[in-house]
Amino acid sequence: MDMVREALHYQSRFSGSTMVFKIDFPVTQDPAFPSFMKDLAILAQTGFKVVIVPGAKEWIDSVLAEYGITSSYITQEPPEVSAGKATTVLRTPLRITAARAMPFVEMAAFHVATRFMTGLSANRTDSVIGNFVRARGLGVLNGTDMESTGRVETILTKPIRKVLDLGMVPVIPCIGWGPSGKPYNVPGDEIALAAAGALGAVKLFIVGLGPEIRKEPSPGDENALVLPEDAETGESGRLIRLTPQETERVLELNRHPLGAAAQAVSSLTLALAASRAGVERVHIIDGREEGAVLRELFSNLGSGTMVYADEYEAIRPLRTQDIPDVLRIMEPLMQQGILIRRSPEDISEKKDDYVVFGVDGRVHALGALHIWGDQGEIAAVTVDRVYADMGLGSRIVRFLINRAVKKHIRRVFILTTKTQDWFETLGFTESDTASLPGERRKLYDPQRKSKVFALELGPS
Ligand SMILES: CC(C)(COP(=O)(O)OP(=O)(O)OC[C@H]1O[C@@H](n2cnc3c(N)ncnc32)[C@H](O)[C@@H]1OP(=O)(O)O)[C@@H](O)C(=O)NCCC(=O)NCCS
């Protein structure tokens, strides 16, 4: 039931917003592809504006090879790509597309785009493959003639929006057309970046067959990703979420990645560029994993790596509009007598004492620090049980202790009937009612038999 509530919350929050999916070609060849397309179709049918940018690199390589044309790449930095509000640079290998290769490149790019059209049709969702990209030739880059390789000049947002308004899915192949109608091969990553920026997408999904982004991307692969020591990782060592600054640090530590680490670096490069271009959240996910998109979208317990540019989660002061959510979490515990009963008015009266751990505008944990002279009472520490054992309770308590230190409080205490062991692990030791501030002692309810635990913060 909690998961359904969670999903409905996200559905109402993001429905109607635009999401760009950059999907690598190998995903289309995986047995999980039909199930992946089913999930995209469900999103499109339930009000999400889905835009697909198919990557076609591997398929273009194989088509060209079949016609005896060898693909070569340069690794120099291409010129700046303008995306949305920001101007940014993508440092990824660029194909040198010979003019004679272009008809085959077009054929391959459109073939890949139709795979998505087919996958959506199978789920009764219509799509439009279009010429949505105005391109410009790259010309000569550091002495190399890039021939038919182009860059994004403009994303034609008007026709894309029209298609979206008709409830259809725009599919943007990796071809752009110059002012005179000449076609250019434009890297899918650049198109995805520019489209996400220009359409004001709230999310960009980078979908590959990549292993998780973690220190050792593949078992036995000696080309491990170097991670900062304080990186927030999940149980398997997966990087769960990164700010743009943290992403930059990871990229700095991995300037010359090899093997699977190179793939992770390429996804993180695109993710960083997109978040710099104003996309609030970029999700790097594995297209093989059943339900990966839906999990990432409808729960806070996604399975990929998220680069987020907004205030995604934070411990912050309680706002009046949080009070119903706070009571929702507290109610079962108040009923069991674990927490003392508080009315909306009680909470509102002491609003400034409370802090919440909010994710996407929803409260997952809370706590309060009430000041009694030179002592502070930590109270109402509560974690939504869906998010138990994830360290949220400890984070709230540490936050309140810091707040007390800043206010020059000499000692913090708690009154508890069931959580003394937990507070002991946080450094609290047993004390007695005699140590309570006079005013607080008067309010002590002897029938509850709460124990007093305290932590000294400074010299008395
Ligand atoms: C107590 C509470 C705040 C802990 O929140 P949390 O975010 O799940 O806790 P953390 O993730 O920081 O810590 C989890 C650890 O504490 C342990 N723990 C949780 N509740 C405990 C309790 N009542 N007594 C002892 N240990 C407890 C967990 O088993 C876990 O141990 P592990 O790390 O060895 O697996 C939460 O369980 C809660 O809301 N309880 C009901 C309200 C309450 O009693 N509040 C305190 C009154 S002020």
Side-chain angles (χ1 to χ4, degrees):
M1 200 58 201
D2 285 323
M3 290 314 283
V4 176
R5 268 193 209 111
E6 193 72 36
L8 289 174
H9 166 74
Y10 279 94
Q11 154 76 20
S12 65
R13 186 180 149 94
F14 289 117
S15 183
S17 19
T18 305
M19 300 186 185
V20 173
F21 289 80
K22 160 74 207 319
I23 306 165
D24 287 347
F25 170 72
V27 174
T28 69
Q29 289 185 307
D30 193 85
F33 184 59
S35 151
F36 177 80
M37 289 313 292
K38 187 176 193 171
D39 290 350
L40 284 197
I42 290 172
L43 290 180
Q45 286 162 11
T46 50
F48 293 88
K49 299 194 163 173
V50 172
V51 177
I52 295 178
V53 180
K57 178 180 170 295
E58 294 79 0
W59 184 246
I60 293 175
D61 281 347
S62 74
V63 169
L64 291 183
E66 213 159 283
Y67 289 91
I69 304 170
T70 327
S71 296
S72 46
Y73 291 84
I74 57 156
T75 47
Q76 285 105 313
E77 288 180 9
E80 293 195 332
V81 173
S82 212
K85 291 171 242 163
T87 299
T88 188
V89 172
L90 273 182
R91 291 179 192 83
T92 41
L94 259 185
R95 179 195 305 279
I96 305 164
T97 314
R100 72 188 175 96
M102 203 48 205
F104 303 109
V105 171
E106 287 172 81
M107 186 173 79
F110 275 82
H111 169 74
V112 176
T114 56
R115 288 191 177 205
F116 288 91
M117 187 171 254
T118 306
L120 290 166
S121 292
N123 292 286
R124 288 180 299 283
T125 302
D126 296 327
S127 56
V128 173
I129 300 172
N131 56 338
F132 298 126
V133 180
R134 282 268 175 282
R136 183 180 345 138
L138 272 177
V140 178
L141 267 191
N142 297 338
T144 307
D145 185 354
M146 299 301 291
E147 299 194 37
S148 290
T149 304
R151 55 169 294 203
V152 176
E153 178 75 28
T154 323
I155 296 288
L156 304 176
T157 52
K158 263 195 191 161
I160 295 177
R161 290 220 168 88
K162 275 201 176 138
V163 171
L164 287 169
D165 288 344
L166 290 169
M168 296 162 98
V169 175
V171 181
I172 315 181
C174 56
I175 306 288
W177 285 264
S180 61
K182 183 181 171 193
Y184 290 99
N185 177 203
V186 182
D189 277 6
E190 280 189 32
I191 295 180
L193 169 62
L199 293 166
V202 294
K203 284 176 186 283
L204 166 65
F205 281 86
I206 303 171
V207 190
L209 289 192
E212 287 180 342
I213 299 199
R214 59 192 173 100
K215 213 174 176 92
E216 274 144 34
S218 311
D221 187 341
E222 73 249 25
N223 307 306
L225 199 65
V226 186
L227 299 184
E229 267 176 24
D230 56 352
E232 189 186 346
T233 51
E235 257 173 34
S236 66
R238 166 172 65 99
L239 272 178
I240 299 173
R241 48 182 164 249
L242 296 164
T243 61
Q245 296 74 18
E246 288 162 345
T247 312
E248 223 161 48
R249 274 174 62 209
V250 175
L251 292 175
E252 265 163 31
L253 289 169
N254 296 277
R255 281 189 169 273
H256 305 288
L258 293 167
Q263 195 181 338
V265 163
S266 134
S267 299
L268 287 171
T269 304
L270 173 57
L272 177 64
S275 66
R276 292 259 184 263
V279 181
E280 283 178 12
R281 289 161 212 200
V282 184
H283 301 265
I284 303 167
I285 57 167
D286 188 334
R288 274 171 305 202
E289 205 176 304
E290 170 70 21
V293 173
L294 300 184
R295 221 187 350 260
E296 198 74 22
L297 202 52
F298 293 122
S299 84
N300 291 298
L301 308 169
S303 57
T305 294
M306 176 172 76
V307 176
Y308 64 102
D310 64 336
E311 275 281 298
Y312 167 72
E313 61 165 46
I315 296 180
R316 55 164 175 81
L318 175 98
R319 301 174 192 137
T320 305
Q321 60 265 37
D322 295 323
I323 294 178
D325 215 13
V326 158
L327 287 166
R328 171 187 64 82
I329 300 171
M330 291 178 98
E331 185 53 43
L333 296 158
M334 294 194 291
Q335 273 179 22
Q336 292 166 42
I338 294 174
L339 293 175
I340 57 161
R341 184 151 287 285
R342 291 168 176 89
S343 66
E345 293 72 31
D346 294 334
I347 297 175
S348 181
E349 212 172 279
K350 295 242 159 75
K351 189 162 87 50
D352 295 343
D353 290 1
Y354 283 83
V355 293
V356 300
F357 180 91
V359 180
D360 280 334
R362 205 155 149 89
V363 174
H364 288 188
L366 67 128
L369 175 74
H370 305 304
I371 308 292
W372 302 92
D374 62 355
Q375 294 200 47
E377 176 181 3
I378 291 182
V381 178
T382 317
V383 174
D384 185 341
R385 64 194 154 86
V386 177
Y387 302 100
D389 293 341
M390 292 170 74
L392 298 189
S394 324
R395 276 175 76 175
I396 290 275
V397 172
R398 280 197 297 270
F399 185 93
L400 294 171
I401 293 172
N402 271 337
R403 182 183 259 199
V405 168
K406 282 189 196 139
K407 288 181 186 279
H408 305 291
I409 297 295
R410 72 171 173 86
R411 177 181 194 258
V412 284
F413 66 88
I414 53 118
L415 296 181
T416 181
T417 52
K418 297 230 163 35
T419 40
Q420 54 262 46
D421 294 347
W422 187 68
F423 279 103
E424 270 182 336
T425 64
L426 295 171
F428 286 72
T429 52
E430 185 155 11
S431 183
D432 51 32
T433 47
S435 69
L436 294 177
E439 288 299 301
R440 182 64 181 89
R441 210 176 319 133
K442 278 188 216 156
L443 297 172
Y444 181 81
D445 175 1
Q447 295 211 315
R448 238 180 112 74
K449 294 197 177 63
S450 303
K451 292 198 168 166
V452 179
F453 274 72
L455 181 72
E456 301 295 331
L457 301 178
S460 48

